[in-house]
């Protein structure tokens, strides 16, 4: 499995993946805009010529926000999500990030378990944060450096 920085040529596949994995997919323009953002980390996981997943983050000063992490359903539980998270934490260490924030659907227990394995803790709740369907979101945070890193 190869983890690399996302490129313009990846956008059509990223958009297709968004449509499969999220009820509120980002547009190709939004993906391109984030890709070009100087304060972003946008990486993809490939196995040979197959896009397995991606991670999309932005940061300001010493705080990073995990905007999206996505692995195609047929490649979940293959380690792609964990590899993408490790790449994000390596990037965060390089940039001297102090904390990482994210929101996750209250019902998305597999994602919550993944985040907890990486040291994230629930620090709040956003009522009706998600649409399609409407659902509360948990706010999770991880402090850096992580224990054991």
């Amino acid at each position: 499995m190869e983890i690399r920085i996302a490129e313009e040529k990846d956008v059509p596949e990223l958009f297709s993946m968004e449509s499969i994995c999220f009820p509120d997919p980002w547009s190709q323009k939004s993906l391109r805009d984030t890709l070009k953002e100087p304060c972003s980390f946008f990486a993809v996981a490939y196995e040979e010529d197959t896009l397995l997943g991606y991670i999309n983050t932005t940061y300001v000063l010493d705080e990073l926000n995990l905007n999206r992490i996505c692995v195609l359903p047929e490649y979940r539980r293959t380690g792609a999500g964990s590899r993408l998270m490790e790449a994000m934490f390596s990037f965060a260490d390089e940039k001297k990030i102090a904390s990482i924030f994210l929101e996750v659907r209250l019902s998305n227990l597999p994602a919550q378990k993944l985040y907890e394995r990486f040291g994230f803790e629930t620090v709040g709740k956003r009522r009706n944060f998600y649409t399609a369907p409407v659902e509360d979101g948990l706010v999770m945070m991880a402090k850096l450096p992580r224990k054991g890193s």
Side-chain angles (χ1 to χ4, degrees):
M1 183 180 312
E2 175 192 11
I3 307 295
R4 66 165 172 76
I5 298 301
E7 301 171 7
E8 173 70 30
K9 69 180 182 179
D10 298 314
V11 170
E13 263 189 293
L14 292 168
F15 176 69
S16 175
M17 185 177 283
E18 278 277 322
S19 301
I20 292 167
C21 295
F22 296 109
D24 57 345
W26 283 19
S27 67
Q28 288 194 43
K29 180 184 181 321
S30 294
L31 292 165
R32 278 189 185 91
D33 288 349
T34 305
L35 186 65
K36 294 174 187 172
E37 176 63 45
C39 292
S40 74
F41 175 72
F42 201 148
V44 292
Y46 271 90
E47 186 77 59
E48 296 177 13
D49 292 332
T50 303
L51 177 63
L52 310 180
Y54 71 88
I55 193 163
N56 170 335
T57 74
T58 49
Y59 65 96
V60 175
L61 301 174
D62 66 348
E63 291 186 357
L64 184 139
N65 190 70
L66 173 52
N67 301 319
R68 297 272 215 202
I69 183 169
C70 179
V71 175
L72 284 172
E74 61 269 31
Y75 298 108
R76 292 180 185 160
R77 305 197 61 79
T78 64
S82 292
R83 294 277 308 275
L84 289 163
M85 292 287 287
E86 285 295 344
M88 176 192 67
F89 274 101
S90 292
F91 174 83
D93 286 340
E94 288 173 21
K95 295 293 183 184
K96 309 258 188 282
I97 299 293
S99 51
I100 301 173
F101 291 89
L102 62 86
E103 289 88 14
V104 61
R105 282 183 182 271
L106 195 59
S107 65
N108 193 346
L109 299 178
Q112 291 172 42
K113 289 190 183 314
L114 173 69
Y115 302 141
E116 288 168 357
R117 278 197 349 252
F118 281 88
F120 283 86
E121 297 178 354
T122 300
V123 294
K125 185 191 278 188
R126 296 190 197 278
R127 298 195 52 70
N128 302 322
F129 183 74
Y130 292 97
T131 58
V134 174
E135 186 174 355
D136 292 349
L138 295 178
V139 178
M140 299 183 83
M141 180 185 73
K143 289 282 196 187
L144 279 85
R146 296 182 294 162
K147 294 179 177 104
S149 54

